[in-house]
Amino acid sequence: MKRILPVFLLLIVVLSGFAAKESLRTIPNESFSAGELLKYKVHYGPITAAEAVIDIAPNLHRINDRPTYKATVYGKTSNSFDLFIRIRDTWQSYIDTAAILPQRSFRNIEEGSYRKRETVDFNHFTNTAQVESKRKNRDKRQSSHKIPSGAQDIVSGFYYLRTLDYDRYKPGDKFTIKGFFDEETFDMVVTYQGRETIETKAGSFRAIKLVPRMPKNKLFKGEDAITVYLSDDKNKIPVLISANMFVGAVKVDLYEHKNLKHKPALVAQK
């Protein structure tokens, strides 16, 4: 009996270790579901430069043997703006329905003469990402990367923001989102700046104001160049995004929404 007991305890420890590796976190989500559709106008100063559509496919997809939402962001410049630079971008993320983590992401970038296609497969048990990418006039390349626990891609990160309880924050509070993008890991520090009422083409919303800190880059002017407004209701949809860029101010304005999980809380006009 004395010999059997240590072996039995060791077996429990080993099995517990395997069980831990086979489990992912669970994030409560009452804000979005399959079938949601959001449409935006992108304004460059007074000019409507582009349109963007963000949707979740009506059916769930199974990736890495996990149920996922297929979330897609389409962006394209308007016909008049095509004369300056023609953009046709597609970003997709297969977001784990329970963990709100990307299981797979995809990008198809067409910006002027630049072309890039990229697929990233995430393994959140080993904290690794497998990247396959192809650029115009270049050979396809594959690479493997170590990623932090709970790493988001850009698209899934926005959906994760919608699951947070902002009632527990005070203006000025910060939180960090771990991420992986363009074959690099990053820490995005987000500052909660309270609530305010904003006007959009879809109506007036009481909104949650967030400012993600941007690393130094050639596009955005300063660390606090981007402000994101989420509707202050159960949906927490992005209703307005403003960005100060070196080439001028850009505003992404919601003008249509369909199949929201909850009725939006619009502010009554006086």
Side-chain angles (χ1 to χ4, degrees), residues 186-233:
F186 64 90
D187 286 346
M188 179 174 285
V189 179
V190 182
T191 303
Y192 168 72
Q193 292 195 343
R195 266 95 163 171
E196 61 184 71
T197 300
I198 60 166
E199 299 287 336
T200 75
K201 292 184 179 298
S204 297
F205 288 88
R206 179 76 173 167
I208 298 161
K209 185 179 181 181
L210 304 174
V211 177
R213 188 180 68 197
M214 301 300 296
K216 287 185 178 181
N217 58 79
K218 297 180 180 179
L219 289 177
F220 300 104
K221 195 174 182 179
E223 289 185 342
D224 299 333
I226 296 179
T227 304
V228 178
Y229 295 90
L230 306 179
S231 61
D232 188 14
D233 54 25

Side-chain angles (χ1 to χ4, degrees), residues 39-41 51-53 200-203 239 253-257:
K39 293 185 178 182
Y40 299 85
K41 297 284 187 183
E51 289 198 16
V53 177
T200 75
K201 292 184 179 298
V239 292
D253 190 354
L254 179 75
Y255 74 89
E256 186 178 344
H257 53 75

Side-chain angles (χ1 to χ4, degrees), residues 165-183:
D165 178 11
Y166 293 98
D167 288 338
R168 63 192 181 97
Y169 294 118
K170 297 180 295 183
D173 284 351
K174 302 179 188 296
F175 56 90
T176 301
I177 296 177
K178 301 286 186 179
F180 180 74
F181 173 69
D182 215 14
E183 301 186 44

Side-chain angles (χ1 to χ4, degrees), residues 67-86:
T68 64
Y69 299 113
K70 181 184 177 182
T72 306
V73 180
Y74 309 91
K76 67 174 185 177
T77 45
S78 60
N79 292 336
S80 59
F81 216 78
D82 281 347
L83 299 174
F84 300 98
I85 181 171
R86 184 181 186 275

Side-chain angles (χ1 to χ4, degrees), residues 38-252:
L38 306 171
K39 293 185 178 182
Y40 299 85
K41 297 284 187 183
V42 182
H43 303 284
Y44 176 62
I47 303 170
T48 301
E51 289 198 16
V53 177
I54 306 176
D55 69 36
I56 304 177
N59 300 316
L60 297 182
H61 293 249
R62 202 159 190 88
I63 304 293
N64 298 332
D65 203 31
R66 303 273 298 186
T68 64
Y69 299 113
K70 181 184 177 182
T72 306
V73 180
Y74 309 91
K76 67 174 185 177
T77 45
S78 60
N79 292 336
S80 59
F81 216 78
D82 281 347
L83 299 174
F84 300 98
I85 181 171
R86 184 181 186 275
I87 296 175
R88 300 291 185 272
D89 288 354
T90 301
W91 302 51
Q92 286 181 337
S93 183
Y94 291 85
I95 304 170
D96 193 290
T97 57
I100 316 297
L101 288 171
Q103 292 291 345
R104 177 175 296 157
S105 68
F106 170 78
R107 286 194 293 156
N108 184 38
I109 307 301
E110 298 181 12
E111 299 178 357
S113 61
Y114 179 81
R115 299 288 184 273
K116 181 176 183 178
R117 292 175 66 88
E118 178 190 78
T119 301
V120 182
D121 279 294
F122 293 85
N123 187 327
H124 294 287
F125 300 119
T126 61
N127 289 330
T128 56
Q130 305 299 320
V131 180
E132 181 178 282
S133 62
K134 174 73 170 67
R135 294 187 182 183
K136 186 178 181 180
N137 301 325
R138 295 189 184 182
D139 293 334
K140 185 181 294 185
R141 60 184 296 271
Q142 296 181 334
S143 57
S144 180
H145 303 267
K146 193 70 178 176
I147 60 174
S149 178
Q152 302 285 351
D153 63 5
I154 298 297
V155 176
S156 68
F158 269 91
Y159 284 96
Y160 173 71
L161 284 176
R162 296 174 59 183
T163 67
L164 300 181
D165 178 11
Y166 293 98
D167 288 338
R168 63 192 181 97
Y169 294 118
K170 297 180 295 183
D173 284 351
K174 302 179 188 296
F175 56 90
T176 301
I177 296 177
K178 301 286 186 179
F180 180 74
F181 173 69
D182 215 14
E183 301 186 44
E184 292 186 359
T185 59
F186 64 90
D187 286 346
M188 179 174 285
V189 179
V190 182
T191 303
Y192 168 72
Q193 292 195 343
R195 266 95 163 171
E196 61 184 71
T197 300
I198 60 166
E199 299 287 336
T200 75
K201 292 184 179 298
S204 297
F205 288 88
R206 179 76 173 167
I208 298 161
K209 185 179 181 181
L210 304 174
V211 177
R213 188 180 68 197
M214 301 300 296
K216 287 185 178 181
N217 58 79
K218 297 180 180 179
L219 289 177
F220 300 104
K221 195 174 182 179
E223 289 185 342
D224 299 333
I226 296 179
T227 304
V228 178
Y229 295 90
L230 306 179
S231 61
D232 188 14
D233 54 25
K234 291 183 178 181
N235 298 303
K236 301 191 187 79
I237 57 174
V239 292
L240 184 69
I241 301 172
S242 62
N244 293 318
M245 307 178 72
F246 286 109
V247 295
V250 173
K251 185 171 70 171
V252 183

